[in-house]
Amino acid sequence: MTMHDRWDRLCARVGAFGSASEADLTYEMISTLYANPSRAYHNLEHIAWCLRAFDEVARLAEHPDACEFALWLHDCVFIPERPDNEARSAEAAAMIAGLLGCDGVFISQVRELILVTKHDSCPVDPDSALVSDVDLAVLGGSEEEYAQYSASIRAEFSFAPEEMFARGRMAFLHRMLDREEIYSTAWYRSTLEKRARANMQRELEGWEDRYGEGEE
């Protein structure tokens, strides 16, 4: 199934369009948003990866279609220099859902699910926890997958001098490792928590070897 086909089927399930052309138009909008060449990580490939990860755990969702819609749009606005990408993505998703004719409850659910991908607080409901964990699943990938992920993040911030990037990256890694638990769902904690910590600790030590310790 192509990404386009998957989007069409999602739209059909949520009863959001009266004709195929409306789904096609919004898919083209989404594709364009993710197509910026500077997006080495936050691109449509990342969305496809998240959707495959979600397929493994969708049975755990209370509102699987809202979760999937949120995953489609959670990085649709991404400007590395800005701190409000999640909020802007949530508003863009609400606009697209509105264009499709989704109801207000669904739009509100999608908006809140996207906001949790900022990962600055603990999710408060099962669907938020699931969407958050899917977005963080890459942290628990194989060493090769994690290395590709971290290299792609560096490429997106290529405008930043190496040491400046390293300080910011170390701060992020410290914040994640300082959590009592990285993942919010029992499924992800049991399957990826240990490997995610090992991956991030290895990256952190690599940066510290070059630039000293970051945040305590």
Side-chain angles (χ1 to χ4, degrees):
M1 185 193 311
T2 67
M3 290 285 280
H4 197 157
D5 288 339
R6 180 159 187 159
W7 176 252
D8 284 352
R9 293 186 183 189
L10 174 61
C11 289
R13 288 199 306 274
V14 299
F17 61 89
S19 67
S21 62
E22 294 173 5
D24 291 342
L25 173 62
T26 51
Y27 181 78
E28 292 305 318
M29 292 172 63
I30 293 169
S31 298
T32 299
L33 286 168
Y34 283 110
N36 191 308
S38 66
R39 287 176 176 246
Y41 176 70
H42 294 91
N43 50 33
L44 206 56
E45 184 177 343
H46 167 58
I47 301 307
W49 194 95
C50 285
L51 293 173
R52 290 193 296 271
F54 178 66
D55 287 341
E56 297 179 3
V57 296
R59 67 190 183 281
L60 303 176
E62 293 183 352
H63 304 96
D65 289 336
C67 290
E68 181 171 339
F69 201 100
L71 287 167
W72 268 97
L73 277 300
H74 77 282
D75 284 325
C76 68
V77 177
F78 179 74
I79 303 171
E81 301 93 327
R82 294 189 65 102
D84 60 347
N85 288 308
E86 293 80 11
R88 290 158 65 89
S89 293
E91 292 310 309
M95 181 270 291
I96 290 173
L99 288 174
L100 287 166
C102 296
D103 64 42
V105 172
F106 182 86
I107 292 172
S108 179
Q109 289 173 338
V110 167
R111 182 186 285 112
E112 294 304 313
L113 289 168
I114 291 175
L115 290 176
V116 303
T117 64
K118 190 173 179 64
H119 306 298
D120 59 351
S121 61
C122 294
V124 297
D125 64 83
D127 284 352
S128 294
L130 196 61
V131 168
S132 175
D133 283 0
V134 167
D135 190 36
L136 294 176
V138 67
L139 301 177
S142 67
E143 287 192 26
E144 182 180 357
E145 288 170 331
Y146 187 88
Q148 182 178 353
Y149 148 74
S150 56
S152 296
I153 293 295
R154 178 66 185 107
E156 286 188 335
F157 288 85
S158 59
F159 59 85
E162 179 87 347
E163 184 169 358
M164 179 186 296
F165 174 81
R167 298 296 176 191
R169 187 66 182 168
M170 285 190 286
F172 165 77
L173 293 168
H174 273 296
R175 286 196 296 274
M176 296 301 294
L177 289 167
D178 286 346
R179 290 184 177 190
E180 183 175 348
E181 293 168 327
I182 293 168
Y183 295 105
S184 300
T185 62
W187 193 91
Y188 273 104
R189 288 196 297 269
S190 67
T191 58
L192 297 185
E193 181 85 17
K194 184 176 180 179
R195 192 161 59 191
R197 287 190 177 277
N199 283 335
M200 288 190 288
Q201 186 64 42
R202 186 175 58 252
E203 183 187 358
L204 178 62
E205 290 171 358
W207 288 118
E208 289 178 343
D209 285 345
R210 280 176 278 176
Y211 297 107
E213 294 186 2
E215 282 188 356
E216 294 296 333

